Amino acid sequence: MVNKRVQTLLEQLRAQGIRDEHVLEALAQVPREKFVDEAFEHKAWENVALPIGQGQTISQPYMVARMSELLLEDGPLDKVMEIGTGSGYQTAVLSQLVERIFSVERIKVLQDRAKERLLELNLRNVVFRWGDGWEGWNALGPYNGIIVTAAASEVPQALLDQLAIGGRLVIPVGAGETQELLLIVREEDGYSRHVLDLVRFVPLLNGPLA
């Protein structure tokens, strides 16, 4: 039974154009209050981004839904890399929609908390790496989908290289306060790029941080 706050959020997301019912169901199943600090639990089901410490945020549910929907637009994916685990909320939503997730986070303390949350929710199809998101996770590539939850100043070449033929990369790109959300698809002979929305994300930084 979906409670009233969750139902209200789902109605808002549908009104904003989210159409994939599998994505909406995944959002409904993930208790967002477990991914925010106690002080913000009362706002957990509002359609807003919230701070999670370390200068990072948990994305608003609309953006989680939008990026998930874009990633899955051509059908189910079995192998997805996520750059920027953060709170683990996007990870938890995606874990119900794809077969395997390989999630890279540069801030160790955030990664450790995310691991605990996903284990508590018995979501066990995620493998974590503490490292530099600009480098991706080449050893386990290629990936059918890559999702980046921080804004890169340019599209990292390493991520393009780790995308399988036919694979989809969803990434915010830009150095200013507002960035462009891009969908990049790897073709047999190159890449197609589509600019979709204007968005606001924290920057994708280099190097792991303990």
Side-chain angles (χ1 to χ4, degrees):
M1 183 72 177
V2 177
N3 70 41
K4 188 174 181 181
R5 287 195 304 164
V6 178
Q7 192 61 50
T8 298
L9 175 60
L10 296 183
E11 289 170 3
Q12 289 174 358
L13 297 181
R14 289 188 182 100
Q16 287 182 277
I18 301 301
R19 295 285 175 264
D20 190 324
E21 289 296 326
H22 296 295
V23 170
L24 292 168
E25 176 64 21
L27 259 82
Q29 293 300 317
V30 175
R32 192 170 184 248
E33 67 273 9
K34 292 188 178 295
F35 294 84
V36 301
D37 292 340
E38 190 174 342
F40 295 103
E41 281 187 10
H42 65 291
K43 289 180 170 289
W45 288 98
E46 294 180 15
N47 195 18
V48 295
L50 295 169
I52 58 171
Q54 307 295 318
Q56 305 299 301
T57 59
I58 179 174
S59 293
Q60 66 178 127
Y62 168 76
M63 191 51 59
V64 171
R66 173 75 167 136
M67 294 177 76
S68 300
E69 190 173 64
L70 287 167
L71 200 67
L72 297 164
E73 204 166 34
D74 273 355
L77 299 176
D78 68 343
K79 191 176 182 184
V80 169
M81 177 168 62
E82 176 189 43
I83 302 298
T85 313
S87 68
Y89 178 63
Q90 172 79 76
T91 325
V93 171
L94 271 182
S95 74
Q96 299 176 79
L97 297 164
V98 306
E99 195 170 317
R100 294 172 293 166
I101 302 175
F102 301 85
S103 189
V104 181
E105 172 58 56
R106 68 181 289 268
I107 303 174
K108 189 69 164 63
V109 63
L110 291 183
Q111 184 190 67
D112 289 343
R113 290 178 194 154
K115 282 183 180 178
E116 290 174 4
R117 289 170 179 137
L118 266 65
L119 281 174
E120 183 182 341
L121 295 173
N122 200 32
L123 300 174
R124 300 181 181 274
N125 58 338
V126 183
V127 183
F128 297 91
R129 179 181 187 232
W130 175 46
D132 189 333
W134 282 85
E135 297 174 0
W137 199 345
N138 187 56
L140 298 181
Y143 303 93
N144 304 116
I146 299 176
I147 187 169
V148 183
T149 63
S153 54
E154 59 186 22
V155 180
Q157 185 61 47
L159 302 188
L160 294 174
D161 293 342
Q162 291 168 42
L163 201 58
I165 301 296
R168 302 166 71 84
L169 166 62
V170 180
I171 180 172
V173 176
E177 282 192 16
T178 303
Q179 308 94 29
E180 293 179 331
L181 184 64
L182 302 185
L183 169 64
I184 300 174
V185 180
R186 186 165 192 176
E187 315 283 1
E188 291 284 353
D189 56 352
Y191 300 87
S192 63
R193 300 184 182 218
H194 312 271
V195 179
L196 302 166
D197 302 310
L198 292 178
V199 294
R200 295 169 71 97
F201 279 84
V202 297
L204 181 65
L205 301 177
N206 292 98
L209 180 68

